[in-house]
Every structure is written in structure tokens, then in C-alpha cells.
């Protein structure tokens, strides 16, 4: 074997060990040998290297009820590193720092107040949140920053393609952040910054939380309406990075014009702005933000308040019809609904079951619909896991300097 090939194999094996530890938290050397199929001797040598690099440490696990001797276990340490995730939605910018083992170090959240069509003002606020969180990680080196947006992302370097919830066209978000944050600029220069579409990472996190069904449709609404389709463990991206953009399925022929250029998109008849307006909650959304207004919307639907119920009836009928169309496009094992829809998952499930013919009449029954298992942090958790997986795929680059 050439030395180049053996270096590749070694890197691959280091990644196997580190990734396994990230998945399970703690494991013994023999657990790792069993899980990876590597020989016990190789595991010992690989662990020694990861320990020397400051990525793994020993920890003692005491046997239950005092039976047997305490076992020497291993866990990811990487105490010299942190990852940062910056979430930008239609209301807030939230920055979070975590360890590679997934422990939260700091979280800073700021409202930007949704200045439509003004990326500069949103990014002023986002940069403040980011800098504040970076200031809290202490001596740790930032291994990666992911900026997560509620919009499709594409290109190289990646840019936001369009964010209809914020009235954006294409926006070079990473460049705008770099102009505002010198710390971020240097991370970007070092190739440690990424731009990620929130629905894809959220859908992947929900997919893992739901026990990795064979196909999953994810539909989420908390500003506009977004979606993603996970097949064989991977989110469908598409030739234009638009696969699963369910909010822009044109469901009403000749309907109202949409910011995307089409007419009658789902978001024009079932988007939060439309439903909140119908329910008489626009003012609350403007004053207290969309999240608070949608919480109130759900509360009023449950309380049977007529305006809220009417608004929901109209919106839910369109959402269920759209899910019926998507069901026959993907034939999913499971549909997960996120954002405020999580609280209304049972109702949507009933509606879909009602319009989808029963198995006696057709070849397909309605798939189950469940509410998000991870709540508002689904995208954050998904982005963190993706970052950790990417970093651990080449642990040698993470060695303590
Ligand atoms: Zn549209």
C-alpha cells in the first residue's frame, strides 16, 4: 500500500472512531472495535493519536450496583474547540456556541423586527448576536460557523437565492456578515464559514429523531411555509436547490401573485401572515413578533375563537390538499410538521385522512402526520450535527495547535 493510501485509510479510521464517539457519547475501546469492525489493536493506536490531539479523553464509568470493576471509557473532549451556529429567521437572529460533544456553551438572541427588503439591517443585528456569542467561548478556537437561513441557498460561494419572508432577492449573506464582524471575516477567510438552508438541516434532524423512516416529508411554517423531502437518509436538493419548497407549490389556479413570481402559491393562501390577518392578529405580530402571534393563534383555535377557527379552517384545507399532492409525489412513510403547525399536527392528520381515499377505494392511505419532535431548535440541532459530522470526517485537521 502506498503511504498516501495508508494515510487516507488512517484518516478514515480516525473519523470512524471520532464519529462513533459523537454518536454514542461514551464507549470503551472494545465497544469501538465492535462498532467499527476495526481490530482492537488498531483502535488502541487510533485512540492514542486522538488523545494526543486533544480530541478524546478517558473517563471512568462505575458499574451499576457496585458489580464488577469500574470500566475505562472514552469520550470526545476537544475542549479547545467550539462550533457556532447563527440562525436568522423572520423575527430573530440567534447565535449559539457548542462543544463538539454537543454541549451548549452560550446562546444570544436578538430581535431584528423584520425590516422587509433590508438585508443590511437584519445583518447588523445578526453580527451583534454572533460577536456576543463568540465573546463567550473563552479560549476555545472556533472550528466552524454555520449561518442558517430560512430560504434556499445555492452557488459557490453560497448565497441566499431569495427570502420571500424578508423581502430579499439574492443576498451574499456571508460577505455582508464579514463586513460587519472582523471575527467572522477571518473565520470565513480560513474556510470555516458556511451558509445553510434551514429546512434541509431541520428535516435531517427530525428524520433522525423520528427513527430514520425510509422517506420523510417535512413541512414547516413559522414565517412563510417551507419544506424538505428526505429520501434514503438524505435531503433532496434539486437542480436549483428548490426541491421541497412546498410553500411555493402553486395550488390555486390564477390565484394571488406571490413574491416568487408565480400565482396562487400555498403561502399566499395558508402562510402565517395571511392567516394571522384573517384571525385579527396582525397587530400582535407586528408588536410582539410572529412567534408570539402564532402561539396566540394556536391558543385561540383551541379555545374555539371564531375568527381564529375560520382562518385555520381555510388555511388547513389548503395545507391538507397540498400534503395529499405531495403524498403521491413522494409516498412518504411519515410527514413531520414543524413551526406552529406542530401543535396542530393531529388536526392536519385528520384532514388528510378524510380527503385521502381509504385503502379499499385506492392504492394509497394517508401517511401519519406528527408534530416536530425537536421544536423550534430543529434547524439549530440539525446544523450543529452536520457541522460536527463534517469536522469529525477529518479529525487530523482539528488537532490542538
Ligand atoms: Zn410563491
Amino acid at each position: 500500500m502506498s503511504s498516501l493510501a495508508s494515510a487516507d485509510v488512517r484518516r478514515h479510521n480516525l473519523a470512524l472512531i471520532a464519529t462513533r464517539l459523537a454518536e454514542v457519547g461514551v464507549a470503551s475501546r472494545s465497544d469501538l472495535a465492535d462498532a467499527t469492525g476495526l481490530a482492537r489493536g488498531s483502535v488502541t493506536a487510533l485512540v492514542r493519536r486522538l488523545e494526543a490531539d486533544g480530541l478524546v479523553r478517558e473517563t471512568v464509568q462505575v458499574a451499576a450496583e457496585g458489580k464488577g470493576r469500574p470500566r475505562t471509557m472514552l469520550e470526545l473532549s476537544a475542549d479547545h474547540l467550539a462550533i457556532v451556529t447563527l440562525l436568522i429567521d423572520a423575527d430573530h437572529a440567534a447565535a449559539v456556541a457548542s462543544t463538539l460533544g454537543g454541549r451548549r456553551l452560550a446562546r444570544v438572541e436578538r430581535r431584528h423586527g423584520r425590516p422587509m427588503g433590508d438585508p443590511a439591517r437584519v445583518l447588523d443585528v445578526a453580527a451583534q448576536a454572533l460577536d456576543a456569542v463568540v465573546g463567550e467561548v473563552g479560549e476555545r478556537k472556533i472550528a466552524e460557523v454555520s449561518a442558517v437561513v430560512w430560504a434556499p441557498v445555492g452557488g459557490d460561494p453560497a448565497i441566499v437565492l431569495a427570502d420571500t419572508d424578508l423581502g430579499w432577492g439574492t443576498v451574499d449573506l456571508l460577505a455582508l456578515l464579514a463586513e460587519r464582524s472582523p471575527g467572522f471575516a477571518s473565520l470565513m477567510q480560513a474556510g470555516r464559514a458556511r451558509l445553510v438552508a434551514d429546512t434541509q438541516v431541520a428535516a435531517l434532524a427530525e428524520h433522525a429523531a423520528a427513527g430514520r423512516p425510509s422517506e420523510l416529508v417535512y413541512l414547516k411554517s413559522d414565517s412563510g411555509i417551507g419544506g424538505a423531502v428526505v429520501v434514503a437518509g438524505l435531503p433532496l436538493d434539486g437542480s436549483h436547490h428548490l426541491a421541497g419548497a412546498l410553500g411555493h407549490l402553486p395550488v390555486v389556479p390564477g390565484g394571488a401573485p406571490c413574491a416568487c413570481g408565480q400565482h396562487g402559491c400555498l403561502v399566499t393562501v395558508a402562510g402565517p401572515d395571511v392567516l394571522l390577518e384573517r384571525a385579527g392578529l396582525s397587530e400582535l405580530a407586528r408588536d410582539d413578533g410572529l412567534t408570539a402571534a402564532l402561539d396566540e393563534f394556536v391558543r385561540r383555535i383551541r379555545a374555539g375563537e371564531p375568527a381564529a377557527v375560520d382562518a385555520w379552517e381555510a388555511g388547513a384545507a389548503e395545507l391538507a390538499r397540498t400534503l395529499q399532492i405531495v403524498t403521491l409525489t413522494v409516498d412518504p412513510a411519515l410527514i413531520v410538521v414543524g413551526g406552529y403547525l406542530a401543535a396542530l399536527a393531529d388536526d392536519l392528520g385528520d384532514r388528510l385522512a378524510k380527503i385521502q381515499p381509504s385503502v379499499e377505494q385506492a392504492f394509497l392511505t394517508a401517511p401519519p402526520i406528527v408534530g416536530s419532535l425537536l421544536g423550534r431548535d430543529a434547524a439549530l440541532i440539525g446544523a450543529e450535527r452536520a457541522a460536527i459530522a463534517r469536522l469529525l470526517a477529518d479529525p487530523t485537521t482539528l488537532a490542538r495547535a
Side-chain angles (χ1 to χ4, degrees):
M1 199 190 295
S2 78
S3 63
L4 203 67
S6 70
D8 275 350
V9 169
R10 187 172 165 79
R11 188 159 51 228
H12 173 76
N13 290 343
L14 287 167
L16 280 181
I17 302 277
T19 305
R20 181 68 189 166
L21 280 174
E23 277 166 16
V24 296
V26 290
S28 68
R29 287 174 178 78
S30 44
D31 295 339
L32 291 170
D34 290 346
T36 59
L38 295 167
R40 175 73 204 254
S42 313
V43 169
T44 303
L46 292 162
V47 164
R48 199 176 300 132
R49 167 68 194 270
L50 290 168
E51 282 181 305
D53 284 348
L55 295 174
V56 164
R57 68 171 156 237
E58 286 190 343
T59 166
V60 173
Q61 199 171 69
V62 180
E65 294 155 20
K67 285 180 198 157
R69 269 185 286 168
R71 297 175 73 202
T72 302
M73 306 294 275
L74 300 159
E75 64 183 6
L76 277 185
S77 53
D79 291 329
H80 60 300
L81 298 173
I83 55 167
V84 171
T85 310
L86 173 67
L87 273 175
I88 300 173
D89 67 22
D91 253 349
H92 293 86
V96 177
S98 302
T99 65
L100 259 57
R103 187 166 59 84
R104 288 283 151 81
L105 297 167
R107 179 177 187 131
V108 174
E109 209 160 319
R110 301 251 198 280
R111 262 193 87 187
H112 55 64
R114 206 180 182 187
M116 293 297 281
D118 193 351
R121 267 174 64 203
V122 173
L123 288 163
D124 284 345
V125 175
Q128 284 166 19
L130 185 69
D131 287 343
V133 117
V134 168
E136 286 187 40
V137 302
E139 297 295 296
R140 288 170 196 266
K141 186 175 151 195
I142 295 174
E144 189 170 304
V145 182
S146 311
V148 184
V149 285
W150 220 84
V153 160
D156 187 15
I159 58 167
V160 177
L161 297 176
D163 189 332
T164 49
D165 300 329
L166 287 169
W168 295 0
T170 54
V171 171
D172 191 349
L173 187 139
L174 297 182
L176 289 175
L177 261 183
E179 282 170 17
R180 286 161 175 77
S181 164
F184 180 79
S186 54
L187 285 163
M188 194 168 140
Q189 225 157 28
R192 296 186 178 276
R194 263 162 228 281
L195 182 65
V196 195
D198 110 319
T199 45
Q200 292 204 349
V201 282
L204 270 181
E206 296 286 0
H207 179 256
R212 305 180 196 280
S214 50
E215 309 79 22
L216 179 141
V217 167
Y218 177 65
L219 175 78
K220 171 184 149 179
S221 183
D222 48 21
S223 48
I225 297 175
V229 174
V230 179
V231 177
L234 289 172
L236 214 56
D237 190 27
S239 314
H240 306 88
H241 315 288
L242 293 171
L246 305 181
H248 295 282
L249 285 186
V251 292
V252 183
C258 178
C260 75
Q262 303 187 109
H263 283 77
C265 291
L266 178 64
V267 71
T268 67
V269 287
D273 291 326
V274 181
L275 302 191
L276 289 174
E277 168 91 55
R278 270 182 112 141
L281 287 166
S282 297
E283 215 164 295
L284 183 66
R286 208 164 36 241
D287 295 345
D288 293 0
L290 274 170
T291 310
L294 288 168
D295 285 348
E296 177 61 16
F297 182 44
V298 170
R299 199 191 64 72
R300 290 189 186 182
I301 294 166
R302 287 183 168 155
E305 196 272 321
V309 170
D310 281 355
W312 173 243
E313 287 287 332
E318 299 292 352
L319 289 166
R321 237 166 46 75
T322 301
L323 287 174
Q324 186 186 17
I325 294 167
V326 175
T327 291
L328 262 181
T329 314
V330 178
D331 188 8
L334 185 68
I335 297 174
V336 174
V337 289
Y340 82 96
L341 296 177
L344 300 160
D346 289 349
D347 184 72
L348 278 175
D350 291 346
R351 285 170 199 267
L352 180 60
K354 229 171 260 172
I355 55 175
Q356 186 82 52
S358 70
V359 75
E360 291 83 38
Q361 299 160 309
F363 48 90
L364 186 72
T365 45
I369 299 183
V370 298
S372 156
L373 297 163
L374 302 172
R376 294 212 166 100
D377 279 347
L380 179 67
I381 293 166
E384 282 185 341
R385 283 194 196 147
I388 291 166
R390 224 169 8 241
L391 292 166
L392 294 183
D394 191 359
T396 46
T397 60
L398 298 175
R400 187 161 35 203

